[in-house]
Amino acid sequence: MRIFITGGAGFIGSRLAQKLAGAHQVTAFDNLLPQVHDGNPENQDRLTACGAELIVGDVRDAEALNAAIAAAKPDVIYHLAAETGTGQSFDLPVRYNGVNVMGTAHLIEAVREVGTVKRIIVAGSRSVYGEGAHHTADGALVVAPERKVSDMEAGDFLCRTRDGAPLTPVATNADCPVAPASVYASTKLMQEYLLGQAFWGTDVQVGTLRLQNVFGPGQSLNNPYTGVLSIFSRQIQEGATLNIYEDGTITRDFVHVDDVAQAFAMMGTVDVMPSDILDIGSGEPTTIIDIAQMLLGLFDQPTDKFTVTGKFRPGDIRYAVADISRAKEQLGWTPQIPLSEGLRQLAEWSARELAAETA
Ligand SMILES: NC(=O)c1ccc[n+]([C@@H]2O[C@H](COP(=O)([O-])OP(=O)(O)OC[C@H]3O[C@@H](n4cnc5c(N)ncnc54)[C@H](O)[C@@H]3O)[C@@H](O)[C@H]2O)c1
């Protein structure tokens, strides 16, 4: 098949290209965003090594995108190009909408124009759930409302009902109503909506994978806006004491980039693609304190070299864990790489990268 990956030079996109290039003709379209690529040529090198073609272009440039898709005549498109920083998105709403929303609109028109595309798979984000699924004290399943600034200023970081009753978080799946809590999350939801609406009732199938926190070797160590584990890896090796937000028990679902690339590869190549939105994560909750301690240990640092600051950020949600049962049942996908192994790989890779940087 002919495969086209927007954002194909990125952290996830380049791994996906590598997985597919042996059996398929792969074209990556990527503007090599400096914030992501400066000082981090590894993902681009991976593309070259696997024989994928790289077209340097911007999804905001309709002409360039049309020309690239017209030349590639793809059967399958993966849409991964995006601005990805939750915090940064509050400061740069025009840029985030321009790339994530308008870029997707340009993609839709290019797909209509070329007429070869049978399947589009978009990299969705669990951020569209906001605080996500929770149980009330009597066991009812609800979506937690946004937390109140006044509660958090008082050091209370729990998710609560509007009446103030505490809620218990549970793994979230796509049955959970969406409630994006950041500009980034809103743009990611818009990508899903636009693609679903534009191709409704046509022969073009649209698939969505909503990703949790993807980590692993290759995630930029220089981008201060994304990838908490890459950021921690650099800070630990620079001798810093890690600052941990809220009370330290913010919880995330860390999934290895190879497992995520495998899920994408399967979505694009299975005979019958699941039409449900699939949640992709490890399915395992890990607190930020726990992950910080694991990483500190891997770098032979005291495992208490962190400060719990009590500070909080807009758009940060409290608890994120995926219910991955649909991905298992409908796609036959299960994550293979344990967190401990993934962290070991990340620590080794980032040590090599930083040593090369200072050499
Ligand atoms: N990494 C995660 O934890 C995570 C979680 C949820 C969703 N996602 C989604 O997965 C996708 C890939 O993320 P990633 O982690 O590989 O990030 P990444 O930043 O490494 O990859 C994104 C790629 O898109 C490119 N890009 C950015 N703006 C572009 C533009 N205007 N035109 C063309 N290319 C552009 C960048 O240069 C980069 O190579 C994104 O859509 C992201 O929203 C990632």
Side-chain angles (χ1 to χ4, degrees):
M1 285 195 294
R2 289 185 298 272
I3 310 260
F4 190 90
I5 310 175
T6 74
F11 172 49
I12 301 170
S14 63
R15 300 275 174 154
L16 173 61
Q18 186 181 34
K19 273 200 193 295
L20 294 171
H24 306 279
Q25 192 178 319
V26 178
T27 304
F29 182 88
D30 197 301
N31 72 344
L32 305 179
L33 186 69
Q35 181 176 309
V36 175
H37 292 273
D38 276 3
N40 186 27
E42 173 170 330
N43 296 326
Q44 251 175 281
D45 294 347
R46 184 174 296 115
L47 275 185
T48 317
C50 74
E53 182 189 6
L54 171 63
I55 298 176
V56 178
D58 195 308
V59 291
R60 288 168 295 189
D61 180 348
E63 218 173 294
L65 186 61
N66 271 331
I69 290 182
K73 296 186 176 46
D75 302 290
V76 175
I77 292 186
Y78 290 98
H79 186 32
L80 274 63
E83 294 278 356
T84 63
T86 302
Q88 191 183 36
S89 71
F90 287 93
D91 298 329
L92 299 173
V94 172
R95 187 167 120 189
Y96 273 68
N97 274 278
V99 173
N100 297 0
V101 180
M102 282 307 289
T104 303
H106 290 316
L107 180 69
I108 289 166
E109 297 205 352
V111 167
R112 287 183 176 155
E113 186 73 25
V114 72
T116 58
V117 179
K118 297 171 191 69
R119 205 175 273 190
I120 304 173
I121 296 140
V122 60
S125 166
R126 74 77 49 214
S127 64
V128 301
Y129 299 125
E131 297 288 359
H134 284 69
H135 278 153
T136 60
D138 55 8
L141 191 61
V142 295
V143 181
E146 270 184 28
R147 292 177 289 161
K148 290 187 189 146
V149 171
S150 54
D151 287 348
M152 294 203 276
E153 279 172 349
D156 176 2
F157 300 107
L158 287 185
C159 285
R160 297 179 177 279
T161 63
R162 294 203 189 282
D163 301 333
L167 290 165
T168 307
V170 295
T172 295
N173 68 23
D175 289 342
C176 180
V178 289
S182 68
V183 173
Y184 167 70
S186 296
T187 64
K188 291 302 289 180
L189 183 58
M190 196 62 80
Q191 293 187 321
E192 293 184 18
Y193 280 162
L194 292 177
L195 287 166
Q197 289 152 1
F199 296 108
W200 188 87
T202 73
D203 290 339
V204 180
Q205 304 168 309
V206 175
T208 304
L209 299 183
R210 286 187 182 157
L211 313 178
Q212 299 278 329
N213 276 59
V214 187
F215 81 101
Q219 191 165 36
S220 172
L221 297 167
N222 302 319
N223 186 351
Y225 300 106
T226 54
V228 61
L229 298 188
S230 286
I231 294 169
F232 277 179
S233 297
R234 173 178 277 279
Q235 290 174 342
I236 292 171
Q237 291 174 86
E238 289 174 348
T241 297
L242 302 179
N243 283 325
I244 298 185
Y245 288 104
E246 302 190 11
D247 61 358
T249 66
I250 286 181
T251 298
R252 291 292 179 267
D253 177 331
F254 294 101
V255 59
H256 193 280
V257 63
D258 278 337
D259 282 327
V260 172
Q262 178 62 18
F264 276 113
M266 292 170 84
M267 277 293 273
T269 55
V270 282
D271 288 342
V272 181
M273 184 181 69
S275 57
D276 284 348
I277 293 169
L278 301 183
D279 290 276
I280 298 295
S282 66
E284 302 291 337
T286 306
T287 67
I288 298 295
I289 285 186
D290 284 347
I291 202 97
Q293 290 186 318
M294 285 182 227
L295 261 186
L296 285 160
L298 282 166
F299 288 110
D300 294 326
Q301 294 293 310
T303 54
D304 59 357
K305 206 171 170 188
F306 63 83
T307 307
V308 175
T309 64
K311 290 185 182 159
F312 54 93
R313 301 179 295 186
D316 244 359
I317 60 101
R318 179 74 180 164
Y319 182 95
V321 174
D323 170 359
I324 57 174
S325 51
R326 282 197 185 135
K328 287 182 178 168
E329 286 155 19
Q330 296 186 21
L331 192 59
W333 172 87
T334 44
Q336 302 292 320
I337 304 169
L339 181 59
S340 55
E341 165 60 16
L343 285 180
R344 193 191 57 72
Q345 291 177 9
L346 174 68
E348 282 178 14
W349 170 79
S350 65
R352 272 199 311 276
E353 289 294 302
L354 295 190
E357 207 177 86
T358 48

PDB file of all heavy atoms in Angstrom, residues 85-87 89-90 127 130 146 179-188 314-317:
ATOM      1  N   GLY A  85       1.677  20.919  22.776  1.00  0.00           N
ATOM      2  CA  GLY A  85       1.896  21.315  24.180  1.00  0.00           C
ATOM      3  C   GLY A  85       0.630  21.843  24.843  1.00  0.00           C
ATOM      4  O   GLY A  85       0.103  22.876  24.441  1.00  0.00           O
ATOM      5  N   THR A  86       0.173  21.152  25.870  1.00  0.00           N
ATOM      6  CA  THR A  86      -1.054  21.581  26.556  1.00  0.00           C
ATOM      7  C   THR A  86      -0.901  22.995  27.115  1.00  0.00           C
ATOM      8  O   THR A  86      -1.718  23.879  26.849  1.00  0.00           O
ATOM      9  CB  THR A  86      -1.384  20.609  27.711  1.00  0.00           C
ATOM     10  OG1 THR A  86      -1.519  19.311  27.164  1.00  0.00           O
ATOM     11  CG2 THR A  86      -2.663  21.009  28.423  1.00  0.00           C
ATOM     12  N   GLY A  87       0.147  23.224  27.896  1.00  0.00           N
ATOM     13  CA  GLY A  87       0.341  24.537  28.526  1.00  0.00           C
ATOM     14  C   GLY A  87       0.551  25.621  27.479  1.00  0.00           C
ATOM     15  O   GLY A  87      -0.034  26.713  27.560  1.00  0.00           O
ATOM     16  N   SER A  89      -0.517  25.780  24.555  1.00  0.00           N
ATOM     17  CA  SER A  89      -1.701  26.053  23.734  1.00  0.00           C
ATOM     18  C   SER A  89      -2.526  27.214  24.284  1.00  0.00           C
ATOM     19  O   SER A  89      -3.210  27.904  23.533  1.00  0.00           O
ATOM     20  CB  SER A  89      -2.572  24.796  23.605  1.00  0.00           C
ATOM     21  OG  SER A  89      -3.230  24.485  24.821  1.00  0.00           O
ATOM     22  N   PHE A  90      -2.461  27.438  25.603  1.00  0.00           N
ATOM     23  CA  PHE A  90      -3.202  28.572  26.178  1.00  0.00           C
ATOM     24  C   PHE A  90      -2.605  29.895  25.694  1.00  0.00           C
ATOM     25  O   PHE A  90      -3.306  30.882  25.529  1.00  0.00           O
ATOM     26  CB  PHE A  90      -3.152  28.521  27.704  1.00  0.00           C
ATOM     27  CG  PHE A  90      -4.006  27.438  28.306  1.00  0.00           C
ATOM     28  CD1 PHE A  90      -3.470  26.191  28.592  1.00  0.00           C
ATOM     29  CD2 PHE A  90      -5.356  27.658  28.582  1.00  0.00           C
ATOM     30  CE1 PHE A  90      -4.249  25.182  29.147  1.00  0.00           C
ATOM     31  CE2 PHE A  90      -6.139  26.657  29.135  1.00  0.00           C
ATOM     32  CZ  PHE A  90      -5.590  25.424  29.415  1.00  0.00           C
ATOM     33  N   SER A 127      -6.723  13.787  26.195  1.00  0.00           N
ATOM     34  CA  SER A 127      -7.038  15.095  26.776  1.00  0.00           C
ATOM     35  C   SER A 127      -8.475  15.519  26.473  1.00  0.00           C
ATOM     36  O   SER A 127      -9.031  16.358  27.178  1.00  0.00           O
ATOM     37  CB  SER A 127      -6.061  16.161  26.262  1.00  0.00           C
ATOM     38  OG  SER A 127      -6.208  16.332  24.869  1.00  0.00           O
ATOM     39  N   GLY A 130     -10.963  15.565  29.413  1.00  0.00           N
ATOM     40  CA  GLY A 130     -10.811  16.400  30.610  1.00  0.00           C
ATOM     41  C   GLY A 130     -10.506  15.512  31.801  1.00  0.00           C
ATOM     42  O   GLY A 130      -9.675  14.609  31.718  1.00  0.00           O
ATOM     43  N   GLU A 146     -14.552  20.150  35.896  1.00  0.00           N
ATOM     44  CA  GLU A 146     -13.240  20.799  36.091  1.00  0.00           C
ATOM     45  C   GLU A 146     -13.047  21.124  37.562  1.00  0.00           C
ATOM     46  O   GLU A 146     -13.997  21.523  38.242  1.00  0.00           O
ATOM     47  CB  GLU A 146     -13.189  22.110  35.293  1.00  0.00           C
ATOM     48  CG  GLU A 146     -12.674  21.924  33.897  1.00  0.00           C
ATOM     49  CD  GLU A 146     -12.530  23.249  33.148  1.00  0.00           C
ATOM     50  OE1 GLU A 146     -12.318  24.295  33.785  1.00  0.00           O
ATOM     51  OE2 GLU A 146     -12.656  23.217  31.919  1.00  0.00           O
ATOM     52  N   ALA A 179     -14.914  16.364  27.401  1.00  0.00           N
ATOM     53  CA  ALA A 179     -14.932  17.609  28.188  1.00  0.00           C
ATOM     54  C   ALA A 179     -13.531  18.218  28.145  1.00  0.00           C
ATOM     55  O   ALA A 179     -12.861  18.299  29.175  1.00  0.00           O
ATOM     56  CB  ALA A 179     -15.356  17.318  29.630  1.00  0.00           C
ATOM     57  N   PRO A 180     -13.069  18.636  26.952  1.00  0.00           N
ATOM     58  CA  PRO A 180     -11.680  19.115  26.864  1.00  0.00           C
ATOM     59  C   PRO A 180     -11.435  20.292  27.802  1.00  0.00           C
ATOM     60  O   PRO A 180     -12.297  21.160  27.931  1.00  0.00           O
ATOM     61  CB  PRO A 180     -11.541  19.541  25.392  1.00  0.00           C
ATOM     62  CG  PRO A 180     -12.913  19.596  24.832  1.00  0.00           C
ATOM     63  CD  PRO A 180     -13.779  18.725  25.674  1.00  0.00           C
ATOM     64  N   ALA A 181     -10.248  20.305  28.431  1.00  0.00           N
ATOM     65  CA  ALA A 181      -9.970  21.342  29.437  1.00  0.00           C
ATOM     66  C   ALA A 181      -8.788  22.217  29.033  1.00  0.00           C
ATOM     67  O   ALA A 181      -8.226  22.905  29.876  1.00  0.00           O
ATOM     68  CB  ALA A 181      -9.701  20.668  30.795  1.00  0.00           C
ATOM     69  N   SER A 182      -8.399  22.176  27.759  1.00  0.00           N
ATOM     70  CA  SER A 182      -7.305  23.048  27.300  1.00  0.00           C
ATOM     71  C   SER A 182      -7.546  23.370  25.829  1.00  0.00           C
ATOM     72  O   SER A 182      -8.308  22.673  25.143  1.00  0.00           O
ATOM     73  CB  SER A 182      -5.943  22.356  27.450  1.00  0.00           C
ATOM     74  OG  SER A 182      -5.846  21.271  26.546  1.00  0.00           O
ATOM     75  N   VAL A 183      -6.857  24.416  25.358  1.00  0.00           N
ATOM     76  CA  VAL A 183      -6.957  24.764  23.940  1.00  0.00           C
ATOM     77  C   VAL A 183      -6.459  23.585  23.106  1.00  0.00           C
ATOM     78  O   VAL A 183      -7.066  23.209  22.097  1.00  0.00           O
ATOM     79  CB  VAL A 183      -6.152  26.052  23.646  1.00  0.00           C
ATOM     80  CG1 VAL A 183      -6.098  26.328  22.145  1.00  0.00           C
ATOM     81  CG2 VAL A 183      -6.753  27.228  24.408  1.00  0.00           C
ATOM     82  N   TYR A 184      -5.352  22.993  23.532  1.00  0.00           N
ATOM     83  CA  TYR A 184      -4.828  21.815  22.816  1.00  0.00           C
ATOM     84  C   TYR A 184      -5.907  20.734  22.703  1.00  0.00           C
ATOM     85  O   TYR A 184      -6.178  20.208  21.617  1.00  0.00           O
ATOM     86  CB  TYR A 184      -3.600  21.262  23.559  1.00  0.00           C
ATOM     87  CG  TYR A 184      -3.175  19.888  23.104  1.00  0.00           C
ATOM     88  CD1 TYR A 184      -2.598  19.693  21.848  1.00  0.00           C
ATOM     89  CD2 TYR A 184      -3.348  18.765  23.919  1.00  0.00           C
ATOM     90  CE1 TYR A 184      -2.212  18.422  21.411  1.00  0.00           C
ATOM     91  CE2 TYR A 184      -2.966  17.497  23.504  1.00  0.00           C
ATOM     92  CZ  TYR A 184      -2.393  17.326  22.259  1.00  0.00           C
ATOM     93  OH  TYR A 184      -2.015  16.076  21.846  1.00  0.00           O
ATOM     94  N   ALA A 185      -6.527  20.399  23.834  1.00  0.00           N
ATOM     95  CA  ALA A 185      -7.524  19.324  23.843  1.00  0.00           C
ATOM     96  C   ALA A 185      -8.691  19.664  22.915  1.00  0.00           C
ATOM     97  O   ALA A 185      -9.197  18.797  22.187  1.00  0.00           O
ATOM     98  CB  ALA A 185      -8.020  19.092  25.265  1.00  0.00           C
ATOM     99  N   SER A 186      -9.104  20.939  22.921  1.00  0.00           N
ATOM    100  CA  SER A 186     -10.218  21.333  22.040  1.00  0.00           C
ATOM    101  C   SER A 186      -9.838  21.150  20.578  1.00  0.00           C
ATOM    102  O   SER A 186     -10.648  20.694  19.766  1.00  0.00           O
ATOM    103  CB  SER A 186     -10.604  22.798  22.292  1.00  0.00           C
ATOM    104  OG  SER A 186     -11.079  22.937  23.605  1.00  0.00           O
ATOM    105  N   THR A 187      -8.598  21.489  20.242  1.00  0.00           N
ATOM    106  CA  THR A 187      -8.190  21.336  18.835  1.00  0.00           C
ATOM    107  C   THR A 187      -8.069  19.856  18.458  1.00  0.00           C
ATOM    108  O   THR A 187      -8.364  19.481  17.321  1.00  0.00           O
ATOM    109  CB  THR A 187      -6.857  22.062  18.522  1.00  0.00           C
ATOM    110  OG1 THR A 187      -5.793  21.457  19.267  1.00  0.00           O
ATOM    111  CG2 THR A 187      -6.935  23.540  18.815  1.00  0.00           C
ATOM    112  N   LYS A 188      -7.653  19.035  19.407  1.00  0.00           N
ATOM    113  CA  LYS A 188      -7.543  17.599  19.098  1.00  0.00           C
ATOM    114  C   LYS A 188      -8.938  16.995  18.889  1.00  0.00           C
ATOM    115  O   LYS A 188      -9.136  16.147  18.030  1.00  0.00           O
ATOM    116  CB  LYS A 188      -6.809  16.850  20.224  1.00  0.00           C
ATOM    117  CG  LYS A 188      -5.341  17.172  20.362  1.00  0.00           C
ATOM    118  CD  LYS A 188      -4.543  16.906  19.090  1.00  0.00           C
ATOM    119  CE  LYS A 188      -4.380  15.445  18.775  1.00  0.00           C
ATOM    120  NZ  LYS A 188      -3.586  15.251  17.516  1.00  0.00           N
ATOM    121  N   PRO A 314      -3.120  25.368  34.623  1.00  0.00           N
ATOM    122  CA  PRO A 314      -4.379  25.227  33.899  1.00  0.00           C
ATOM    123  C   PRO A 314      -4.254  24.074  32.896  1.00  0.00           C
ATOM    124  O   PRO A 314      -3.199  23.883  32.301  1.00  0.00           O
ATOM    125  CB  PRO A 314      -4.532  26.572  33.168  1.00  0.00           C
ATOM    126  CG  PRO A 314      -3.175  27.173  33.151  1.00  0.00           C
ATOM    127  CD  PRO A 314      -2.434  26.640  34.340  1.00  0.00           C
ATOM    128  N   GLY A 315      -5.313  23.324  32.752  1.00  0.00           N
ATOM    129  CA  GLY A 315      -5.328  22.258  31.740  1.00  0.00           C
ATOM    130  C   GLY A 315      -4.778  20.937  32.239  1.00  0.00           C
ATOM    131  O   GLY A 315      -4.959  19.910  31.594  1.00  0.00           O
ATOM    132  N   ASP A 316      -4.088  20.954  33.389  1.00  0.00           N
ATOM    133  CA  ASP A 316      -3.584  19.693  33.935  1.00  0.00           C
ATOM    134  C   ASP A 316      -4.750  18.932  34.526  1.00  0.00           C
ATOM    135  O   ASP A 316      -5.507  19.477  35.324  1.00  0.00           O
ATOM    136  CB  ASP A 316      -2.591  19.979  35.070  1.00  0.00           C
ATOM    137  CG  ASP A 316      -1.193  19.502  34.742  1.00  0.00           C
ATOM    138  OD1 ASP A 316      -0.993  18.934  33.652  1.00  0.00           O
ATOM    139  OD2 ASP A 316      -0.299  19.706  35.578  1.00  0.00           O
ATOM    140  N   ILE A 317      -4.877  17.689  34.166  1.00  0.00           N
ATOM    141  CA  ILE A 317      -5.961  16.940  34.769  1.00  0.00           C
ATOM    142  C   ILE A 317      -5.359  16.007  35.823  1.00  0.00           C
ATOM    143  O   ILE A 317      -4.159  15.773  35.867  1.00  0.00           O
ATOM    144  CB  ILE A 317      -6.815  16.202  33.711  1.00  0.00           C
ATOM    145  CG1 ILE A 317      -5.978  15.219  32.930  1.00  0.00           C
ATOM    146  CG2 ILE A 317      -7.486  17.168  32.773  1.00  0.00           C
ATOM    147  CD1 ILE A 317      -6.184  13.864  33.399  1.00  0.00           C
TER     148      ILE A 317
END
